[in-house]
């Protein structure tokens, strides 16, 4: 324990600040109280020993984080437009997120600048009529009616979901028009995003284009609902959200290109930091990309200043940046899934590799299997908590698809890079990205249609208990078996698992039995309570027939039966 604290104490202090900020979502403490508590904890440092001093500093940092989080929550809960509920007027807004369209309306998160000519600065949910959707970063002038978000209905709490994003009112627009585009740093990100979308669209279209944009930009708005359901059921939906893998591939590509151009190491690191920042601007404020961008930037800066690196410190700083700006991010499923998966990779993958290395699998497949197992086990409870379902074949789907996702990302980004120089080459690269995206679509569709692709809470818990029991039995047996017998047991387990997966896939991909319409005339009669009583009265008669029954129960049915005969 002392070794861990001595090695990772900066990460522990940052994690203490994150804990204090996250606690402010539930606990509202005044700034004076938190400052007094922090000063008291720092004063205790003078009379405590070494490790106790670190604990006291951690408490002080957590209290400071609680105070900051309380201030941010107060700012996020403040709403000027809440007093205007039910009123109608002209508003000026800036869309800050991609629009999501449905058959009934178009919804987009926007920043209100003015309402009835009065200056306003507040995030709102803008509901537009069905039709053309505004791009991200568009400045709109709309005639709106201020309304409250809908309360909890059918398991979805729109009011709570919007409040976690700092949105407290809904603006229903009857008409709107675009009057410009935002500028500055945010406008630069909009232009970069438009360039990537234009380059990808040169060689792809339809579902393939939507998948490529999902992998490259985390944009899933263009995917049809059935395709989104397939990605969720297969456990591949995380590919449609920008992750640390995207930033890692981007930084590695920049460093390799700089090496080929014979740039100095300092220049390469600075260019990598700039490219990562530009990519974050293009993608937007997503937990996974912000976390990865912070980690990549800190890694480059650590090399520049010749300081040691600590991946846990990078992870904690990424969480701190997100929570410091939006404390309610701690309640966001994307935040929890992103940081939970990365922590599982840090902790679980080295231990799983010890068990996977003995299997007759290629090294890359074994690495993908260990990562998929660690992430699947860590994110399953979070998925059950928020969505009530967990994908059963997520490990299988991720192993099959792990080679295609980097190709989609690489070809998509290269297409955007080459597009200003050679649009034809960009179209070819985008087409290659589309082919790789088609493989992801196929894997998601096949996996989603396997039996019990998604498990509810009770079956998932039962399966987890069964797997844990099998693991305990295997661990006890491993101690009593020799090396040769253990290898044979592993080989047998892999063969049995492969055979079971093949059998399940064969059953799932078989076409359903065809139903053929019966030929001839078929008449079906519905008996009422009167008919039942009639049957009970005549139960003892041997010469009971449908004809006699119809004659006594319903003369019209008897006439119809006679005409059919």
């Amino acid at each position: 324990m002392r070794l861990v604290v001595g090695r990772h104490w900066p990460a522990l202090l940052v994690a203490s600040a994150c804990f204090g900020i996250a606690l402010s979502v539930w606990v509202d403490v005044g700034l004076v109280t938190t400052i007094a508590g922090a000063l008291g904890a720092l004063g205790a440092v003078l009379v405590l020993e070494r490790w106790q001093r670190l604990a006291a500093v951690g408490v002080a940092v957590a209290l400071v984080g609680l105070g900051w989080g309380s201030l941010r929550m107060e700012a996020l809960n403040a709403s000027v437009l809440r007093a205007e509920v039910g009123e109608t007027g002209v508003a000026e807004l800036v869309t800050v997120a991609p629009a999501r369209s449905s058959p009934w309306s178009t919804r987009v998160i926007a920043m209100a600048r003015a309402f009835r000519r009065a200056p306003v600065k507040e995030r709102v949910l803008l509901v537009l009529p069905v039709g053309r959707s505004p791009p991200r970063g568009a400045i709109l002038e709309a005639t709106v009616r201020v309304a409250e978000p809908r309360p909890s209905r059918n398991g979805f709490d729109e009011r709570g979901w919007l409040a976690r994003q700092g949105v407290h009112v809904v603006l229903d627009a009857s008409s709107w028009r675009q009057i410009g585009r935002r500028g500055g740093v945010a406008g630069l990100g909009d232009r970069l995003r438009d360039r990537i979308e234009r380059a990808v669209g040169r060689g792809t279209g339809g579902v393939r284009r939507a998948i490529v944009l999902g992998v490259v930009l985390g944009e899933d708005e263009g995917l049809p609902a059935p395709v989104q359901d397939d990605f969720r059921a297969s456990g591949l939906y995380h590919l449609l959200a920008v992750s640390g893998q995207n930033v890692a591939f981007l930084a590695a590509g920049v460093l390799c290109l700089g090496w080929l151009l014979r740039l100095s190491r300092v220049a390469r690191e600075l260019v990598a930091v700039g490219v990562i920042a530009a990519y974050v601007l293009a993608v937007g404020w997503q937990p996974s990309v912000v976390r990865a961008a912070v980690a990549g930037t800190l890694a480059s800066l650590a090399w520049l200043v010749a300081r040691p690196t600590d991946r846990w410190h990078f992870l904690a700083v990424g969480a701190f940046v997100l929570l410091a700006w939006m404390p309610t991010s701690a309640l966001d499923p994307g935040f929890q899934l992103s940081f939970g998966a990365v922590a599982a990779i840090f902790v679980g993958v080295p231990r799983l590799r010890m068990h996977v290395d003995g299997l007759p699998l290629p090294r890359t497949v074994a690495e993908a299997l260990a990562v998929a197992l660690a992430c699947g086990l860590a994110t399953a409870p979070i998925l059950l908590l928020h969505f009530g379902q967990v994908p059963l074949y997520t490990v299988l789907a991720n192993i099959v698809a792990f080679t295609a996702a980097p190709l989609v990302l690489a070809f998509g980004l290269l297409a955007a890079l080459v597009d200003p120089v050679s649009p034809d080459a960009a179209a070819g690269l985008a087409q290659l990205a589309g082919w790789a995206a088609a493989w992801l679509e196929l894997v998601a569709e096949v996996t989603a249609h396997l039996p019990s692709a998604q498990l509810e809470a009770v079956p998932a818990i039962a399966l987890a208990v069964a797997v844990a029991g099998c693991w305990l039995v295997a661990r006890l047996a491993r101690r009593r078996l020799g090396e040769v017998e253990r290898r044979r047991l592993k080989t047998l387990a892999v063969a049995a698992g492969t055979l079971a997966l093949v059998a399940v896939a064969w059953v799932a991909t078989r076409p359903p039995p065809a139903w053929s319409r019966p030929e001839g005339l078929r008449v079906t009669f519905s008996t009422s309570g009167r008919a039942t009583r009639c049957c009970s009265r005549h139960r003892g008669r041997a010469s009971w027939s449908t004809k006699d029954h119809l004659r006594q129960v319903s003369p019209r049915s008897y006439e119809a039966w006679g005409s059919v005969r």
Side-chain angles (χ1 to χ4, degrees):
M1 183 63 181
R2 291 186 176 182
L3 179 62
V4 174
V5 174
R7 181 181 299 176
H8 303 291
W9 65 267
L12 293 175
L13 292 180
V14 178
S16 299
C18 294
F19 175 77
I21 297 174
L23 190 62
S24 66
V25 177
W26 297 279
V27 180
D28 185 10
V29 181
L31 183 61
V32 176
T33 304
T34 56
I35 292 177
L39 292 177
L42 290 176
V45 174
L46 302 176
V47 297
L48 295 176
E49 298 180 358
R50 180 179 180 184
W51 303 111
Q52 294 175 345
R53 291 178 181 177
L54 183 61
V57 174
V59 172
V61 172
L63 289 174
V64 173
L66 178 60
W68 171 258
S70 300
L71 292 177
R72 284 297 300 156
M73 289 299 299
E74 183 180 354
L76 292 174
N77 291 329
S79 174
V80 176
L81 294 176
R82 189 181 293 170
E84 304 290 341
V85 171
E87 300 295 331
T88 303
V90 178
E92 182 179 323
L93 310 106
V94 181
T95 59
V96 296
R100 295 181 178 272
S101 299
S102 68
W104 302 277
S105 64
T106 298
R107 302 160 70 87
V108 58
I109 300 294
M111 179 65 70
R113 287 184 172 181
F115 180 71
R116 289 180 172 178
R117 299 185 182 278
V120 177
K121 187 178 181 181
E122 182 177 342
R123 287 170 65 92
V124 298
L125 175 63
L126 180 62
V127 180
L128 303 174
V130 178
R132 181 173 59 92
S133 300
R136 193 184 75 164
I139 302 176
L140 308 180
E141 187 180 75
T143 302
V144 300
R145 179 180 180 273
V146 185
E148 292 184 347
R150 291 174 294 184
S152 179
R153 182 188 305 172
N154 298 328
F156 176 65
D157 185 9
E158 183 185 65
R159 181 176 299 170
W161 176 71
L162 290 175
R164 290 197 296 268
Q165 304 179 61
V167 177
H168 303 284
V169 295
V170 177
L171 301 185
D172 291 316
S174 57
S175 61
W176 64 276
R177 64 188 183 95
Q178 182 175 347
I179 59 176
R181 296 289 298 269
R182 64 179 176 180
V185 177
L188 175 62
D190 296 334
R191 291 190 291 273
L192 291 174
R193 188 183 186 93
D194 294 341
R195 174 170 294 182
I196 295 175
E197 292 179 352
R198 182 172 60 252
V200 170
R202 293 188 186 278
T204 58
V207 176
R208 293 186 181 182
R209 177 181 182 273
I211 294 176
V212 175
L213 291 178
V215 175
V216 177
L217 295 175
E219 180 180 311
D220 60 349
E221 294 81 12
L223 276 177
V227 179
Q228 293 189 29
D229 294 338
D230 289 344
F231 273 85
R232 289 191 184 96
S234 61
L236 295 177
Y237 202 83
H238 66 92
L239 297 178
L240 303 179
V242 176
S243 63
Q245 185 183 40
N246 297 42
V247 177
F249 276 111
L250 185 63
V254 171
L255 293 175
C256 291
L257 182 61
W259 179 79
L260 292 175
L261 296 176
R262 297 184 179 276
L263 298 178
S264 64
R265 180 65 185 271
V266 175
R268 280 180 282 171
E269 295 291 345
L270 293 177
V271 171
V273 172
V275 171
I276 291 174
Y279 185 62
V280 173
L281 288 176
V283 171
W285 191 262
Q286 299 183 20
S288 55
V289 69
V290 172
R291 170 190 54 76
V294 169
T297 303
L298 290 178
S300 296
L301 294 178
W303 186 91
L304 291 175
V305 298
R307 300 292 297 174
T309 60
D310 181 8
R311 57 184 183 177
W312 286 105
H313 182 61
F314 296 166
L315 184 66
V317 173
F320 176 78
V321 171
L322 288 166
L323 293 173
W325 177 251
M326 189 74 69
T328 53
S329 297
L331 305 177
D332 183 36
F335 178 91
Q336 298 173 7
L337 290 171
S338 176
F339 284 88
V342 175
I345 292 174
F346 290 170
V347 177
V349 170
R351 292 167 174 78
L352 289 174
R353 282 297 303 270
M354 297 171 58
H355 301 281
V356 174
D357 286 341
L359 299 177
L361 297 173
R363 183 176 180 179
T364 55
V365 177
E367 182 71 24
L369 177 60
V371 173
L373 279 173
C375 295
L377 293 175
T379 57
I382 302 174
L383 293 173
L384 285 177
L385 176 64
H386 290 283
F387 307 107
Q389 291 181 327
V390 60
L392 179 60
Y393 307 107
T394 178
V395 176
L396 172 64
N398 280 275
I399 291 175
V400 177
F402 83 97
T403 56
L407 294 178
V408 175
L409 176 65
F411 289 133
L413 291 176
L414 285 175
L417 184 64
V418 174
D419 182 64
V421 180
S422 175
D424 294 335
L429 292 170
Q431 189 173 11
L432 293 176
W435 290 350
W439 174 251
L440 294 179
E441 180 187 5
L442 176 63
V443 173
E445 182 178 3
V446 172
T447 309
H449 289 82
L450 294 176
S452 302
Q454 285 185 301
L455 295 180
E456 304 291 339
V458 175
I461 295 174
L463 179 61
V465 172
V467 171
C470 294
W471 177 77
L472 289 176
V473 171
R475 187 170 184 177
L476 293 175
R478 182 182 179 182
R479 297 177 180 178
R480 300 183 179 182
L481 297 177
E483 184 66 25
V484 178
E485 294 175 340
R486 287 200 296 266
R487 290 183 179 179
R488 290 178 180 177
L489 184 61
K490 287 184 178 180
T491 305
L492 181 62
V494 172
T498 304
L499 182 61
L501 291 176
V502 171
V504 170
W506 178 75
V507 172
T509 53
R510 290 182 63 190
W515 179 81
S516 58
R517 188 183 213 119
E519 297 183 359
L521 183 61
R522 181 180 179 182
V523 180
T524 303
F525 296 100
S526 176
T527 60
S528 61
R530 183 179 176 187
T532 305
R533 292 192 297 270
C534 180
C535 292
S536 63
R537 289 198 305 268
H538 294 82
R539 189 173 297 168
R541 294 177 53 183
S543 59
W544 180 250
S545 64
T546 303
K547 182 177 179 180
D548 297 329
H549 171 74
L550 292 175
R551 179 183 298 169
Q552 296 186 25
V553 175
S554 177
R556 292 183 179 178
S557 300
Y558 171 74
E559 293 175 1
W561 183 83
S563 62
V564 170
R565 296 284 294 175

